[in-house]
């Protein structure tokens, strides 16, 4: 896991065509594709879903790409307390060998109201997939925005094989 500075992260977002309107101190920054994604997959959960199912689902999503970035909606990456000490980081980059660690974190992180880990984004290394995993996920579903239709198809197959409850929203540009 590598720490990414605010400048490097902002450059990544610009190259990826991801906008960051500031919603103020209460809302933080909201990441979104400009233009919008080709496909949106929303994975639904129920209270009885077992931790192993959530971990399997998360692993299948992360299998789309080799590298992923993790960024909190509010605060800095250091606020997620994944590294000892406080490094000046806006995001963390997880390489292929660290995807299991990222999946485990996503499924077990603190979700108490006000905790920085409550509302996070996970972005593929290519910038083609944007996952919003926040305090609304339990009630509204996990939002996965994809620019690449082929990636969306592969992910749909993987999630269907797992038996995931999901919705697919197609958008044409």
């Amino acid at each position: 896991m590598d720490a990414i500075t605010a400048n490097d992260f902002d450059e990544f977002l610009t190259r990826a065509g991801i906008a960051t309107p500031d919603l103020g101190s209460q809302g933080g920054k909201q990441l979104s594709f400009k233009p919008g994604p080709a496909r949106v997959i929303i994975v639904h959960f129920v209270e009885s879903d077992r931790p192993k199912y959530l971990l399997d689902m998360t692993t299948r999503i992360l299998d789309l790409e080799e590298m992923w970035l993790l960024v909190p909606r509010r605060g800095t990456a250091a606020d997620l307390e994944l590294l000892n000490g406080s490094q000046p980081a806006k995001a963390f980059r997880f390489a292929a060998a660290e995807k299991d660690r990222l999946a485990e974190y996503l499924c077990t992180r603190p979700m108490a109201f006000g905790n920085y880990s409550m509302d996070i984004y996970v972005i593929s290394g290519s910038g083609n997939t944007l996952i919003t995993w926040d305090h609304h996920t339990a009630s509204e579903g996990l939002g996965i925005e994809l620019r690449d239709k082929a990636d969306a198809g592969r992910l749909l197959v993987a999630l269907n094989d797992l038996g995931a409850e999901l919705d697919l929203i197609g958008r044409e540009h």
Side-chain angles (χ1 to χ4, degrees):
M1 176 177 59
D2 299 323
I4 301 174
T5 65
N7 285 341
D8 288 343
F9 184 67
D10 289 344
E11 288 176 18
F12 169 81
L13 293 177
T14 299
R15 282 191 313 273
I18 298 175
T20 59
D22 193 340
L23 302 176
S25 63
Q26 297 299 329
K29 291 192 183 294
Q30 181 174 343
L31 302 183
S32 60
F33 284 131
K34 297 297 178 200
R39 299 287 185 265
V40 177
I41 297 173
I42 301 170
V43 181
H44 299 281
F45 306 103
V46 294
E47 188 113 358
S48 62
D49 283 337
R50 293 196 155 77
K52 182 178 179 350
Y53 166 79
L54 295 176
L55 187 60
D56 288 347
M57 183 268 313
T58 303
T59 300
R60 289 174 190 227
I61 294 168
L62 296 178
D63 282 345
L64 277 176
E65 290 204 23
E66 294 298 311
M67 185 173 48
W68 291 87
L69 282 69
L70 171 67
V71 61
R73 184 169 181 168
R74 294 179 301 107
T76 67
D79 295 323
L80 297 177
E81 300 176 355
L82 285 168
L83 291 177
N84 294 333
S86 60
Q87 293 188 346
K90 182 63 180 175
F92 290 120
R93 180 178 23 239
F94 289 80
E98 301 164 311
K99 285 194 292 187
D100 288 343
R101 179 180 181 196
L102 176 58
E104 180 76 22
Y105 174 78
L106 293 172
C107 294
T108 61
R109 72 190 192 279
M111 290 296 291
F113 187 74
N115 194 305
Y116 289 105
S117 63
M118 183 176 73
D119 295 327
I120 58 173
Y121 295 102
V122 184
I123 309 167
S124 64
S126 68
N128 287 331
T129 303
L130 173 62
I131 303 167
T132 303
W133 203 323
D134 61 19
H135 64 280
H136 297 291
T137 297
S139 61
E140 297 175 9
L142 176 65
I144 307 165
E145 299 180 38
L146 301 113
R147 281 207 172 117
D148 188 290
K149 293 176 188 176
D151 284 348
R154 284 190 296 280
L155 183 56
L156 283 170
V157 169
L159 293 174
N160 278 327
D161 285 345
L162 185 61
E165 190 77 24
L166 54 86
D167 295 316
L168 171 66
I169 301 167
R171 299 191 175 141
E172 297 301 323
H173 301 290

